[in-house]
Amino acid sequence: MNKNSGPIIQVRELGKVYGSDGVETPALRGISFDIREGEFVAIMGPSGSGKSTLLHILGFLDRPSGGSYLLEGKDMNSYDDDELARLRNRKFGFVFQAFNLLAKASVIDNVKLPLMYADIPDAKQEKMAQSSIDAVGLTHRTHHESAKLSGGEKQRVAIARALVNNPEVIFADEPTGNLDSKSGGQVMEFIENLHDQGRTIILITHETYTANYAQRIIKLKDGAIESDEKVSSRHHLEDGFKK
């Protein structure tokens, strides 16, 4: 059941400008929106639209040049970099297109990585990581070397790693970009299930059929919001991945 009790994320007039050799390039231009707790939102746009910049700011990986971003009512600019890093590790989970796994490490060692920065005892780390691996159906791969997994399995390991700290928000950045249609569909079903369990999901994508798993789609163009609409019906099973 989704909570949808109120905004967990509040963004107001958010801007980001990159400067190089005296030339300023705006990446975000006065963006404003709220995301409620338990909501599933897709952020869409072509390359250069600002969606990756927005992800980095929402995930505490970068700071805005202007405007405000409140997480649970508190402005991110009130935290120093160390506090942001601790909050990021505790409250957020990330799933990236490139998987970002340690190739020579086992599945369980990859999944445990966020716990190593959270002062959790080793024995508890093992139990939490195994539970997360079981949740994505990879129990039989627990001690396999990550490099020897299929693409779909690697992304499921990345989802298990994103889940291991029981985060409040999961950011999925083009999670199906390196996968075939069957594996991509399986990964999106895992992400949809996480939303059904009440988690807040923010999906970054350029693919309409991936975005249609969400409840709402925010479209960016040239660093600004072009549209922000609810998904009228989630009939993704009829096309896209399921062809």
Side-chain angles (χ1 to χ4, degrees):
M1 177 181 286
N2 299 330
K3 300 172 187 174
N4 287 339
S5 57
I8 188 171
I9 286 171
Q10 296 168 283
V11 169
R12 296 291 180 270
E13 295 297 321
L14 200 71
K16 182 65 178 181
V17 177
Y18 293 106
S20 178
D21 298 325
V23 178
E24 290 192 343
T25 304
L28 295 176
R29 306 168 186 261
I31 286 178
S32 299
F33 60 84
D34 290 350
I35 294 177
R36 296 189 310 277
E37 189 174 7
E39 198 171 7
F40 187 167
V41 178
I43 298 174
M44 288 191 73
S47 179
S49 62
K51 61 185 188 296
S52 292
T53 299
L54 180 57
L55 166 74
H56 288 155
I57 293 172
L58 294 179
F60 288 176
L61 297 164
D62 197 4
R63 291 182 183 268
S65 304
S68 65
Y69 165 28
L70 276 64
L71 178 71
E72 298 176 326
K74 188 160 182 180
D75 196 319
M76 74 173 292
N77 285 326
S78 65
Y79 298 108
D80 64 29
D81 288 347
D82 288 341
E83 288 171 327
L84 284 182
R86 283 193 292 273
L87 279 169
R88 182 170 62 243
N89 191 53
R90 192 170 81 244
K91 292 185 176 288
F92 299 152
F94 295 90
V95 182
F96 295 104
Q97 176 178 341
F99 316 133
N100 293 350
L101 302 179
L102 300 176
K104 295 296 183 183
S106 67
V107 166
I108 194 165
D109 284 343
N110 269 288
V111 173
K112 282 195 296 187
L113 280 174
L115 303 176
M116 296 169 68
Y117 303 99
D119 297 326
I120 292 171
D122 289 350
K124 191 173 181 183
Q125 286 185 24
E126 199 84 8
K127 187 174 181 180
M128 290 171 70
Q130 188 64 60
S131 176
S132 197
I133 292 165
D134 296 345
V136 298
L138 287 177
T139 308
H140 61 300
R141 295 281 193 251
T142 297
H143 300 290
H144 277 59
E145 193 176 285
S146 295
K148 296 178 180 177
L149 302 179
S150 69
E153 287 174 332
K154 287 176 181 176
Q155 195 58 292
R156 282 154 67 188
V157 175
I159 292 171
R161 184 181 57 197
L163 287 175
V164 74
N165 261 347
N166 194 27
E168 295 175 31
V169 182
I170 293 175
F171 295 97
D173 186 10
E174 302 279 6
T176 64
N178 285 338
L179 304 177
D180 59 44
S181 60
K182 181 180 178 182
S183 297
Q186 290 172 343
V187 164
M188 286 311 303
E189 285 169 13
F190 275 114
I191 291 172
E192 185 176 44
N193 287 338
L194 295 176
H195 168 247
D196 290 341
Q197 293 166 20
R199 296 180 188 272
T200 305
I201 309 288
I202 299 175
L203 170 71
I204 308 295
T205 185
H206 67 277
E207 298 166 327
T208 301
Y209 57 84
T210 306
N212 281 339
Y213 278 79
Q215 298 171 306
R216 172 183 166 203
I217 299 175
I218 298 173
K219 291 184 179 177
L220 299 185
K221 184 178 180 181
D222 298 328
I225 293 179
E226 185 178 39
S227 63
D228 182 349
E229 299 174 344
K230 291 188 181 299
V231 175
S232 55
S233 60
R234 297 161 80 185
H235 292 308
H236 49 263
L237 298 185
E238 296 176 7
D239 54 18
F241 289 123
K242 297 300 176 182
K243 283 182 181 177

